[in-house]
Amino acid sequence: MFKQRRISKHPVLRFKRGKEVTIFFEGKPLKAFEGESLAAALYAAGVDVFRWTPKLGRPRGPFCMVGKCGSCMVEVDGEVVRACITPVKEGMKVRRIKGLPPINAREAPDAALNPSPLEVDVLIVGGGPAGMAASEILAKEGMSVLLVDDQPRLGGQLIKQTHIFFGSQELFAGKRGFRIAEEYEKKLMSLSNLQVMLRTTALGVFEEGILITNPEKGARLVRPKYVVISTGAFENYLLFENNDLPGVMGAGGAQTLMNLYGVLPGKEVVVIGSGNVGLIITYQLLQAGAGVKAIIEAAPKIGGWLVHAAKIRRFGVPIITKHTIIAAEGRDRVEAAVIAEVNEKWEPIPGTEKRIECDTILLAVGLTPNSELLRQFGVTTKYVPELGGLVPVRNRYMETNVDGVFVAGDVSGVEEATTAFIEGWIVAYSILLKENPGNKEWLQERERLVMMVEEYRSSPVSSKVRSGLRYVEVG
Amino acid sequence: MEERVSGIVSLETLRRLGYLPTEDRLRKGPVAIFECIEPIPCNVCVLSCPFEAVKMEKITDLPKVDFDRCTGCTLCVAQCPGQAIFVVDASQDGEEALLSLQYDMGEPPDPGDRVVLLDREGNSVGEGKVVKVYKHKRSEAFVVTIAIPQKLLMVARAFRKVGRGES
Ligand code: SF4
Ligand code: SF4
């Protein structure tokens, strides 16, 4: 099993580790760094099993790393938390949960409702590329904007991207993803009309307003005039034997661990899925010093862009098409992946099984739009597989059927950062034009952006998105 | 397209797309070889070329290279997000040629270092000697120029550093 998990040298990233702190894991002192999540600290220290399931006693380790699953639940000072969204603190006592977790008797601080609602012009939920883009223009034009994000940092998936971006220079091409996020964040911080609340979740939509909660500041109602939903997407799971074994992780989860906290997810990795996410995570693993045994793709062809595939092929990583994973093997952590060839109906062909020794299996099998909040608003959604799942019906200006509710980014159909930025800007002008419908400059700028996003999607690599949009884009 | 299964660009495709300069042009001096064969929304190369040697009408077109304008300056190599551009120089007499490529895999080697040359599939195909390394400001990527055997001009497309003690 691989031991040295902290990345000491990275070609692109410099990890700013905070002050060293000591936490206690089942009585044993462990070294951690301020600013990192408990999950990252435990993982770095070599902890694979974070808990055992109550009924079957199956081991569980972290999967998504961003608070979207329950895989990494541990007990901290008597309270059950998700380790991936809990910052480490000097002296914290961590215990793994065996059986049923204790019930938290203490009233959580985020249950205390602040009685005075927050009145703003625009509430933006989700601070990835789309949310940041919309915030910038709206706040610049004088609207009061509240941007909430459930993560500790702005930037969404961008902050984990080490590769140089495609596209045109207006859209930051030629720069690396995490730099784009850094620079944009800086730009936003200088806007006085913009209020940013991190680690804050928009929980529900009520007649009285939208309920947001923050672990320190508690709960509060927001009453905005307009709402932008830019909540992004979450990672898909895949069905196979032992898919809950520690060491099976989402590609995005692995990126968080590796590129945000500087902790290597594995030493010998098998990546499932050859879309851009699978190809890019493979390259990032090589950059961080891990080995990638293979990329497994069920389709007969590589899913992602050829330039990304060529990059990793040059370093000898095979892409095995027409194969799927049928099982993970191992006791407390992945020790091998069993793959098999599939027929035209995507069924594994008996007798074609192969065993690949590895310590980590990363799932890069697509994303699903995070459309829950949209549906609470009563926005009409449609199931469009080409766009990743349930997506909102909207017009080309990203306006939904619910008055004042707009969408932008992956939540409106899974694409990429570039199109998310453009959609964010389009939404901003759509809102501004509601306030002042006659403004020629804004009308022109919005038209230009709509054309720009359409040009982006005119490439053959976007044909799926184009056909998906036909079902949900009206007017 | 065979490439969609293998992930490896073939010389035939490069020839068909007009990405291979003539023998004469190769002899004249450094020139860019584009291995960007699939129209993706990207025009970084067009914007990064100071000599207007790369053209594109729409952002989703394939880059069109004018080998007469290209000076082999490597500025596009440094910024190509697809790492799909290589500059080759077969102007010297003798067995040696130069290959410039983007390097993003860690501390780059130093001039004078020997490296293992890899083909498009990651197979070791020979040895090269680093002659120049620079870092591009905007992309924060390194461009490494390696002296390679002439016969590997269209074969070597990556390299591995040689560890200490390895020969
Ligand atoms: S090598 Fe220099 S001159 Fe040639 S295409 Fe690239 S940037 Fe232009
Ligand atoms: S910059 Fe690279 S990836 Fe982008 S179009 Fe030019 S050659 Fe292709």
Side-chain angles (χ1 to χ4, degrees):
Chain A
M1 210 73 352
F2 76 107
K3 288 250 156 53
Q4 187 47 46
R5 296 189 183 182
R6 290 222 186 251
I7 303 167
S8 53
K9 240 183 172 176
H10 193 282
V12 186
L13 300 168
R14 300 284 161 270
F15 302 111
K16 291 180 227 110
R17 296 197 168 106
K19 206 178 97 207
E20 200 180 303
V21 294
T22 305
I23 60 172
F24 294 90
F25 175 68
E26 316 215 293
K28 267 198 342 241
L30 285 186
K31 203 170 75 174
F33 297 98
E34 237 167 40
E36 68 186 3
S37 75
L38 176 57
L42 292 179
Y43 201 87
V47 178
D48 291 322
V49 180
F50 279 46
R51 68 180 175 105
W52 289 269
T53 59
K55 267 199 179 154
L56 300 173
R58 292 180 71 84
R60 286 285 157 85
F63 179 81
C64 81
M65 285 289 172
V66 285
K68 299 281 188 278
C69 73
S71 211
C72 68
M73 272 197 287
V74 291
E75 204 187 304
V76 172
D77 300 330
E79 209 178 303
V80 178
V81 299
R82 276 169 296 186
C84 69
I85 50 167
T86 305
V88 293
K89 250 198 223 117
E90 176 69 45
M92 74 185 345
K93 290 189 185 62
V94 188
R95 225 170 53 94
R96 289 188 278 196
I97 303 162
K98 230 178 203 155
L100 283 172
I103 292 167
N104 298 342
R106 182 176 76 80
E107 197 178 307
D110 50 357
L113 180 67
N114 182 325
S116 70
L118 214 55
E119 312 267 351
V120 291
D121 290 332
V122 190
L123 167 68
I124 300 179
V125 186
M132 291 200 300
S135 303
E136 186 205 357
I137 305 233
L138 287 165
K140 250 195 205 151
E141 294 293 346
M143 298 197 97
S144 64
V145 180
L146 171 64
L147 171 61
V148 301
D149 194 288
D150 63 359
Q151 295 302 307
R153 275 187 55 192
L154 281 181
Q157 299 303 305
L158 261 189
I159 55 178
K160 310 183 225 168
Q161 304 309 333
T162 56
H163 63 279
I164 302 170
F165 263 61
F166 295 82
S168 71
Q169 239 157 29
E170 180 183 2
L171 291 153
F172 328 104
K175 287 191 180 178
R176 293 179 190 269
F178 73 98
R179 282 270 186 259
I180 300 171
E182 270 174 17
E183 283 169 21
Y184 219 103
E185 189 183 14
K186 224 186 253 159
K187 237 199 287 188
L188 291 185
M189 290 310 151
S190 67
L191 296 169
S192 54
N193 281 340
L194 171 69
Q195 194 186 339
V196 178
M197 284 177 75
L198 296 170
R199 299 186 68 206
T200 302
T201 308
L203 261 192
V205 182
F206 299 91
E207 234 165 71
E208 295 83 357
I210 296 135
L211 186 71
I212 61 168
T213 73
N214 173 286
E216 274 99 41
K217 294 186 196 119
R220 195 150 189 200
L221 281 169
V222 186
R223 285 204 198 121
K225 211 163 153 191
Y226 305 99
V227 180
V228 178
I229 311 282
S230 44
T231 43
F234 52 84
E235 299 197 81
N236 292 342
Y237 218 80
L238 191 67
L239 197 65
F240 57 90
E241 198 183 317
N242 277 335
N243 65 357
D244 60 343
L245 197 63
V248 177
M249 210 183 277
Q255 279 187 337
T256 303
L257 201 52
M258 176 165 71
N259 296 344
L260 228 47
Y261 298 115
V263 178
L264 211 56
K267 228 16 207 166
E268 299 196 305
V269 185
V270 169
V271 173
I272 313 296
S274 72
N276 275 349
V277 175
L279 298 172
I280 290 170
I281 184 82
T282 299
Y283 190 77
Q284 293 180 351
L285 283 160
L286 299 178
Q287 280 185 317
V292 179
K293 288 282 191 88
I295 298 177
I296 312 299
E297 170 60 57
K301 284 177 184 170
I302 296 166
W305 294 1
L306 198 56
V307 282
H308 285 308
K311 272 190 218 178
I312 56 118
R313 293 291 287 120
R314 275 183 222 125
F315 288 98
V317 177
I319 302 173
I320 307 176
T321 53
K322 282 199 220 155
H323 276 72
T324 189
I325 179 165
I326 54 169
E329 286 181 0
R331 253 182 70 86
D332 281 341
R333 185 181 175 108
V334 169
E335 283 162 31
V338 182
I339 64 165
E341 202 178 322
V342 291
N343 61 22
E344 311 80 66
K345 284 190 241 142
W346 309 95
E347 298 154 345
I349 304 169
T352 62
E353 296 85 1
K354 268 189 251 88
R355 191 173 178 276
I356 307 177
E357 270 183 38
C358 60
D359 54 39
T360 305
I361 296 168
L362 295 186
L363 304 184
V365 289
L367 301 162
T368 300
N370 197 357
S371 60
E372 208 174 300
L373 206 58
L374 277 174
R375 277 171 286 141
Q376 287 196 36
F377 270 106
V379 170
T380 305
T381 52
K382 259 193 187 172
Y383 185 77
V384 184
E386 291 93 332
L387 299 176
L390 279 174
V391 284
V393 174
R394 73 308 186 107
N395 63 17
R396 60 210 288 256
Y397 304 123
M398 306 312 284
E399 196 176 355
T400 69
N401 63 308
V402 177
D403 213 22
V405 177
F406 296 79
V407 290
D410 274 1
V411 71
S412 64
V414 174
E415 269 184 282
E416 356 137 23
T418 311
T419 45
F421 271 117
I422 309 177
E423 284 181 349
W425 291 323
I426 293 174
V427 159
Y429 287 107
S430 291
I431 291 174
L432 290 171
L433 283 162
K434 289 270 166 203
E435 292 284 295
N436 183 358
N439 189 310
K440 282 231 174 61
E441 223 172 275
W442 291 343
L443 273 168
Q444 266 173 16
E445 185 56 14
R446 185 171 69 171
E447 251 0 89
R448 187 182 76 89
L449 291 165
V450 169
M451 305 266 283
M452 189 196 273
V453 80
E454 277 167 11
E455 190 178 323
Y456 254 81
R457 291 186 183 128
S458 68
S459 128
V461 290
S462 304
S463 61
K464 227 170 82 184
V465 171
R466 276 202 312 275
S467 61
L469 282 175
R470 283 208 294 270
Y471 298 101
V472 287
E473 208 174 82
V474 289
Chain B
M1 198 162 51
E2 170 65 15
E3 278 101 349
R4 282 253 124 240
V5 180
S6 65
I8 298 159
V9 177
S10 74
L11 283 177
E12 258 157 66
T13 304
L14 294 181
R15 193 166 300 127
R16 184 168 49 78
L17 293 175
Y19 282 154
L20 294 185
T22 58
E23 207 45 46
D24 265 5
R25 176 62 189 86
L26 283 172
R27 291 270 156 231
K28 264 196 201 133
V31 65
I33 310 287
F34 279 59
E35 302 202 357
C36 181
I37 65 166
E38 181 180 70
I40 48 176
C42 179
N43 64 3
V44 174
C45 46
V46 178
L47 297 168
S48 58
C49 178
F51 301 98
E52 293 181 20
V54 196
K55 294 248 156 61
M56 215 180 260
E57 259 157 49
K58 279 195 308 168
I59 194 161
T60 49
D61 289 341
L62 287 180
K64 267 210 168 57
V65 199
D66 183 338
F67 297 124
D68 293 330
R69 282 176 171 269
C70 173
T71 64
C73 73
T74 74
L75 282 173
C76 57
V77 175
Q79 293 175 81
C80 170
Q83 294 178 1
I85 313 174
F86 304 85
V87 164
V88 296
D89 179 356
S91 62
Q92 301 168 41
D93 292 329
E95 295 287 283
E96 238 175 35
L98 297 175
L99 167 74
S100 299
L101 41 71
Q102 195 191 109
Y103 188 69
D104 212 16
M105 272 298 163
E107 277 300 302
D110 291 318
D113 285 359
R114 304 213 70 89
V115 294
V116 175
L117 300 170
L118 308 172
D119 67 6
R120 294 179 183 81
E121 262 180 280
N123 302 313
S124 319
V125 286
E127 244 196 30
K129 193 171 163 196
V130 176
V131 294
K132 195 179 149 194
V133 178
Y134 79 88
K135 185 177 183 174
H136 189 269
K137 211 164 161 218
R138 180 176 170 94
S139 71
E140 300 174 63
F142 291 98
V143 173
V144 178
T145 303
I146 314 167
I148 64 167
Q150 281 247 7
K151 61 177 199 297
L152 295 180
L153 201 67
M154 292 300 163
V155 178
R157 284 298 176 265
F159 69 87
R160 189 160 51 75
K161 289 201 280 184
V162 183
R164 275 201 189 120
E166 249 180 280
S167 60

